[in-house]
């Protein structure tokens, strides 16, 4: 898997780095990451994007787009894990990658142990 990080000269900077992405991927089941060949830490700000979530998987390009600038590290770890769990079949997305609140709750319940594991080893 290739990880690409956009170079930034101005704030806000990425809240995740390549090491964080590798750590997240090391925690999750293999089936969650099978459809991903590339992770892009984008220079785009989430509030300027057209998406309703800061992490979106493109099944066509097999790319995970991460818009982490200006967001907290904890939120971004959770968002990456949510998207990976969604790819692993834990929940269903609807039209234009939209995930309803009930499915988000299911994802949150599934990913919480992984979030805790990520930050437990970081201390």
């Amino acid at each position: 898997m290739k990880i690409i990080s956009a170079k930034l000269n101005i704030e806000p900077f990425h809240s995740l780095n390549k090491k964080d992405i590798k750590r997240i991927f090391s925690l999750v089941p293999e089936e969650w990451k099978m459809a991903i060949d590339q992770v892009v830490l984008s220079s785009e700000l989430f509030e300027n994007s057209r998406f309703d979530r800061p992490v979106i998987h493109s099944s066509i390009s097999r790319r995970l787009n991460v818009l982490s600038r200006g967001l907290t590290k904890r939120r971004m770890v959770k968002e990456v894990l949510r998207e990976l769990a969604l790819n692993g079949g834990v929940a269903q997305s609807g039209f234009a990658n939209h995930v309803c609140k009930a499915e988000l709750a299911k994802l949150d319940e599934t990913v919480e142990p992984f979030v805790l594991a990520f930050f437990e080893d970081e201390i």
Side-chain angles (χ1 to χ4, degrees):
M1 176 190 52
K2 186 174 184 179
I3 302 171
I4 300 168
S5 181
K7 302 282 188 238
L8 302 173
N9 296 324
I10 58 172
E11 291 186 5
F13 296 112
H14 299 293
S15 59
L16 297 177
N17 58 37
K18 290 180 181 183
K19 185 179 174 183
D20 295 329
I21 297 296
K22 288 177 184 176
R23 174 87 180 107
I24 292 168
F25 273 69
S26 74
L27 295 171
V28 299
E30 203 59 42
E31 60 269 13
W32 288 17
K33 50 192 173 180
M34 285 178 16
I36 299 170
D37 292 334
Q38 188 178 68
V39 177
V40 176
L41 295 170
S42 175
S43 62
E44 184 176 8
L45 294 169
F46 172 57
E47 64 253 19
N48 296 341
S49 77
R50 59 188 169 95
F51 301 113
D52 62 349
R53 297 186 325 274
V55 180
I56 298 291
H57 175 249
S58 169
S59 58
I60 295 168
S61 63
R62 298 177 57 93
R63 180 183 338 180
L64 192 67
N65 294 307
V66 180
L67 285 65
S68 69
R69 294 183 63 203
L71 301 174
T72 67
K73 186 172 192 170
R74 183 169 190 81
R75 175 171 180 198
M76 289 311 303
V77 167
K78 184 176 184 176
E79 293 288 352
V80 171
L81 286 165
R82 275 179 168 176
E83 193 67 23
L84 292 174
L86 189 62
N87 289 336
V90 172
Q92 300 296 317
S93 64
F95 178 73
N97 280 331
H98 177 74
V99 180
C100 70
K101 288 182 181 183
E103 295 296 303
L104 280 176
K106 188 188 306 183
L107 287 171
D108 288 345
E109 186 178 316
T110 302
V111 303
E112 189 58 29
F114 297 104
V115 172
L116 294 174
F118 178 90
F119 286 104
E120 179 181 279
D121 289 346
E122 195 175 70
I123 295 173

